[in-house]
Amino acid sequence: MKKIFLFLIFFLVPVLLPGKSGATTVAPTILEISLDPGQSQQAVISLFNETAEPLYLAGSIETFQPDGERGEARVVPPEITDQAVSWVKLPLNALVLAPREVVEVPVLVTVPETAEVGGYYLAIMWQTMAGPNQPVNQVKLSGRVGVLLLLEVKGEAHKELRVEDFRLIEDENFYSSLPVGFSLKLKNEGNIHLKPEGYVMIKNIFGKMTKSLLINEERGNILPASSRRFEEFWRRSDFVPIATDFIGQLRREGKQLAIGRFTAQAFISYDPAAITISSEEVVFWVIPWRLLSLVGGLAFIFLLAIILRKRHRRKLVLNQKEQ
């Protein structure tokens, strides 16, 4: 069965920029719905025809899965066992959009009494099709557009998050300047999507907190049986010019100044009950050796000048005494 890919960063925010296929825009791109067994809820999605011609669209309900560790989603045709597909109804599953027209489409979600507690991950897809007087080979293939539905059936869900990996992105423990990047990989081992949040705490050699980096500031999700990698950077300035020459690197060390031994550790919470987990510590050094060399060199020259000046004055005094 052919898999169709829809790359949407669905872990990051509840509602992203409207999805586009080049001819059609849909909003929102993500719906998050929580229902008890036996409950129903109606949502509304908007479809916009960007073209100057009528568009004929057919709707369908499919499923999606996480694709990789960066937040992409892979939309796939449902299997026979995907019973949750039948819980979503489109009263309007075939539409004609006039040029520049916006149509609001209702979506009805009904969870049966017998539904198991947990998360269900569906995709409401729209595909361009041929009009009544238009041959199929003349249909403009502009791709598909859809809405991802994260459906939670309420109850005693299994919620468990584990730190799989926490490390320095560059896999080294010595830096001449900031930024220093941190990579955190979390795995959802439960049966419901989780929305982790937390911090990377950076401490200096004396154990005092130097910096706190917010993790998952966009309040995204991790789906069950999948992993998500977050990357955060400690920097002094958002703009860090790339330089390979000595002067450029020297300027970089001045703008992104830090010095000494540091430790970093991630602390993550993922449930309204404030369940908190933490990573192992990583240790790294920041030694701006170019800047230190320059300062040391200038200090040496200054000290040498003072010594030579004192010697010169002493020699003049001795000469005066001899005379």
Side-chain angles (χ1 to χ4, degrees):
M1 190 174 292
K2 184 178 179 180
K3 294 182 179 180
I4 301 173
F5 291 86
L6 174 67
F7 292 99
L8 294 172
I9 312 302
F10 67 91
F11 292 119
L12 297 183
V13 289
V15 178
L16 301 178
L17 295 176
K20 290 188 176 182
S21 69
T24 311
T25 300
V26 62
T29 54
I30 293 182
L31 289 173
E32 293 190 61
I33 297 177
S34 297
L35 296 173
D36 289 313
Q39 281 190 330
S40 297
Q41 181 174 324
Q42 180 172 294
V44 176
I45 61 176
S46 298
L47 292 168
F48 171 50
N49 179 2
E50 298 179 358
T51 72
E53 300 176 358
L55 276 182
Y56 299 86
L57 300 175
S60 61
I61 309 300
E62 303 185 31
T63 62
F64 76 90
Q65 303 168 356
D67 186 43
E69 300 175 354
R70 302 295 177 180
E72 296 87 358
R74 184 173 71 248
V75 175
V76 296
E79 303 290 343
I80 298 177
T81 55
D82 294 323
Q83 298 181 2
V85 171
S86 64
W87 303 351
V88 182
K89 302 297 182 183
L90 289 173
L92 300 174
N93 61 0
L95 299 172
V96 181
L97 272 67
R100 309 297 178 185
E101 181 184 13
V102 177
V103 174
E104 292 189 343
V105 180
V107 178
L108 181 62
V109 182
T110 302
V111 177
E113 294 279 359
T114 56
E116 293 185 4
V117 172
Y120 299 85
Y121 307 101
L122 308 169
I124 306 167
M125 304 301 298
W126 296 93
Q127 171 71 57
T128 304
M129 62 180 181
N133 299 316
Q134 184 181 20
V136 175
N137 59 6
Q138 292 184 10
V139 175
K140 293 183 178 179
L141 298 177
S142 55
R144 300 201 304 166
V145 51
V147 176
L148 302 183
L149 172 59
L150 282 71
L151 175 61
E152 176 187 2
V153 177
K154 296 180 182 179
E156 293 297 326
H158 176 210
K159 299 179 179 181
E160 184 178 356
L161 195 65
R162 179 170 61 87
V163 176
E164 279 195 312
D165 179 42
F166 179 63
R167 58 183 172 83
L168 297 164
I169 290 177
E170 297 185 8
D171 199 23
E172 59 182 53
N173 59 4
F174 174 82
Y175 300 83
S176 62
S177 70
L178 302 180
V180 175
F182 306 93
S183 175
L184 172 66
K185 185 178 178 181
L186 301 175
K187 184 173 183 180
N188 184 348
E189 297 187 333
N191 66 346
I192 188 68
H193 51 281
L194 298 173
K195 200 184 300 287
E197 57 183 0
Y199 298 88
V200 174
M201 298 291 187
I202 302 172
K203 297 181 180 180
N204 61 21
I205 194 171
F206 303 106
K208 293 185 177 181
M209 188 178 72
T210 302
K211 185 69 175 179
S212 177
L213 306 176
L214 188 61
I215 298 173
N216 194 21
E217 185 175 4
E218 297 84 0
R219 300 280 297 156
N221 296 284
I222 306 177
L223 267 61
S226 68
S227 298
R228 169 71 171 169
R229 187 174 293 278
F230 301 89
E231 293 184 352
E232 304 296 337
F233 292 85
W234 177 28
R235 51 167 61 94
R236 298 291 186 193
S237 172
D238 290 336
F239 177 70
V240 184
I242 298 175
T244 56
D245 60 295
F246 183 86
I247 299 300
Q249 292 283 4
L250 181 63
R251 290 175 178 171
R252 180 187 178 96
E253 290 179 1
K255 291 181 178 180
Q256 300 288 334
L257 182 61
I259 182 170
R261 178 185 181 274
F262 300 91
T263 60
Q265 187 175 16
F267 297 88
I268 305 98
S269 59
Y270 60 90
D271 187 79
I275 300 174
T276 302
I277 58 176
S278 61
S279 70
E280 298 291 333
E281 283 188 347
V282 295
V283 179
F284 62 98
W285 292 78
V286 183
I287 306 296
W289 61 269
R290 298 174 186 85
L291 187 60
L292 292 176
S293 298
L294 177 62
V295 173
L298 292 175
F300 174 78
I301 293 173
F302 180 74
L303 181 61
L304 182 61
I306 293 176
I307 294 173
L308 292 177
R309 187 176 180 181
K310 287 184 177 180
R311 287 185 178 180
H312 180 67
R313 286 182 176 179
R314 189 179 302 171
K315 186 175 182 180
L316 289 177
V317 172
L318 291 175
N319 289 338
Q320 290 176 356
K321 287 182 179 180
E322 291 177 356
Q323 295 177 357

